[in-house]
Amino acid sequence: MNWMRKLWWKLLGAGILLFVLTYGLICSVPPLDITNETIRNLFYHVPMWFTMYTLFAYSVYHSIMFLRKLNMDHDLHAQSAAEIGFLFGIMGIATGSLWAKYTWGTYWEPRDPKLNGAAIALLIYLAYFVLRSAIEDETKRARLAAVYNIFAFPMQLAVTYIMPKFMLSLHPGSSDTVNFKKYDLDSQLRVVFYPAVIGWIILGFWIFTILYRYQKIKISQQNEEN
Amino acid sequence: MKRIKLLATMLWAAITASAQEATPDMADALRANGKIYVVVTVIGIIFTGIVTYLVYIDRKISKLEK
């Protein structure tokens, strides 16, 4: 039963998500024009970004730790977490785009700072992967990637979260959508929204650990061959 | 007196107007007996399947690590 002990938090996250995926469709939501039932996307679209932020934060933490300790294991943590964070960012953009089509009338509103910020953030991380793949030497790659990641993290936070707060945006939480606060705090939504955030973050971390462990095995096999 | 009468009429008009405001279209009926539970169960099955597979890969990797 040793494997169960390592698995408990993963299954807990899966259980929470099962609740979110089912009850999130059945529970009653505030009846509002335009959003109608699509407000339920709050349980699925928004946690994608929370998971991305968490994984990117975890990634930059390991980049800092790498520069301090110069241990290659930190580099592997940083890389794997950034990859899964990027995956969640892609899903956030894709789901947001679909939601926008049915509420704002377009797949992409070019004047919305949050949308453009999200696209820029993903490009910043795309550059991180390009940088990694461009350097042959392991230690050099790890060092440069770690330094880049330390710049990338605050940049993506600035363009997706901080800057849109002071600009006109269709997203709640920007300077012109103060009224939205009333609905953000809706208690019916909160019952599902908070577990959703926790559940998706746990799932993101689970997928990250699988990628990390896979890469670790691959590296040790390569070292044996050499 | 005239003013008060006018005010009362306007107030009454405002109240009745707000009462007649149509509620936005929500899938209330759909959730009750539109067989939404079938979809919810389908999502539940798919998600359980994915999680079971994740557990399977997880254990496979654990074995490789040993």
Side-chain angles (χ1 to χ4, degrees), chain A residues 10 26 36-37 40 206 213, chain B residues 24-25 27 31 58 62 65:
Chain A
K10 299 162 185 172
I26 305 164
N36 302 78
E37 298 284 357
R40 291 174 203 279
W206 185 3
R213 289 158 71 195
Chain B
D25 259 343
R31 287 209 306 280
D58 204 294
S62 294
E65 281 168 341

Side-chain angles (χ1 to χ4, degrees), chain A residues 94-153:
Chain A
T95 54
S97 183
L98 188 69
W99 196 3
K101 178 66 185 167
Y102 292 96
T103 47
W104 304 340
T106 170
Y107 286 113
W108 197 270
E109 173 50 62
R111 284 161 297 177
D112 192 279
K114 204 114 174 167
L115 270 64
N116 295 327
I120 293 166
L122 291 186
L123 287 175
I124 288 171
Y125 275 87
L126 202 61
Y128 171 77
F129 304 128
V130 171
L131 176 73
R132 290 197 70 96
S133 65
I135 304 164
E136 285 271 334
D137 184 63
E138 263 179 35
T139 15
K140 205 174 171 184
R141 173 176 59 209
R143 257 179 216 250
L144 280 172
V147 172
Y148 180 86
N149 198 14
I150 291 167
F151 282 100
F153 181 73

